[in-house]
Structure formats: structure tokens, C-alpha cells
Amino acid sequence: LCGLALYWAQPIGVHFTSSLYKLMLGEDLMLSDLEPVDRELFNSLSWMGQNDVEDVFPGVTFTADRDMFGETRTVDLIPGAGMDAGNGRPAAHTGRLSCGA
């Protein structure tokens, strides 16, 4: 709908969040961009970034298992960041959100 309005140069009364504008401009989203959209999730992720979650999520890493044509492969969620997501995780990885397929 918004694309059609832009294409036909028709003004419409919509308001986008700042995080959507950042995505359209190709900028990285940060954890602080989540606060106006979902305060509960923001508070939970902030707490996890400030506290030790190793006891709650033991052995959690920044990886995901993907099934590729019958073969299971482990893929880094953040390139080069296949490290433990518990204590000792880099602050750059805990405050960054990734939007994509």
C-alpha cells in the first residue's frame, strides 16, 4: 500500500518508527532502537546484556543449525562470532540487532 502511494505520488497519513527509517537508509539497528517499539523485549535484552545468563542458557552460542539439502550445517549468526553467548561476550554483539531473512 505504501509503495503504491509512493509510486503514484499520493500522500497518505502514516507514521513509521525510527527503526524502519534506519532500515530504509541501510543503517544498523541497535538495541536502543527497540525501546519505543517493544519496551518489554528491550528491558529483557538489556537485562541479559548486563547480567550473567550462563546459568539460564548454558552453552548458547551465536550460531544456528541450518538444514541444507539434507545436510545439517552450523552457521554463524554474526560472521566470525561463533563464540559463547554467555559471559565474556563482546558488547558489540549484545547491543546489535539483525533484521533479515
Side-chain angles (χ1 to χ4, degrees):
L1 180 63
C2 292
L4 282 173
L6 286 172
Y7 181 78
W8 293 105
Q10 295 296 314
I12 56 175
V14 296
H15 298 280
F16 297 121
T17 61
S18 60
S19 55
L20 182 60
Y21 286 124
K22 285 180 103 174
L23 283 175
M24 289 191 285
L25 294 172
E27 296 181 12
D28 287 336
L29 293 177
M30 301 302 290
L31 183 59
S32 58
D33 295 321
L34 183 62
E35 186 174 15
V37 178
D38 190 340
R39 186 173 303 273
E40 185 177 349
L41 180 59
F42 169 78
N43 289 336
S44 297
L45 292 175
S46 296
W47 183 88
M48 289 175 64
Q50 297 167 358
N51 295 287
D52 180 17
V53 294
E54 182 62 32
D55 294 336
V56 181
F57 304 108
V60 174
T61 60
F62 289 105
T63 60
D65 291 331
R66 298 281 172 111
D67 182 28
M68 297 181 183
F69 302 106
E71 181 182 340
T72 302
R73 293 185 184 175
T74 301
V75 180
D76 288 344
L77 296 175
I78 300 172
M83 80 284 287
D84 181 36
N87 262 354
R89 60 199 175 280
H93 294 209
T94 56
R96 183 175 173 196
L97 296 176
S98 176
C99 295

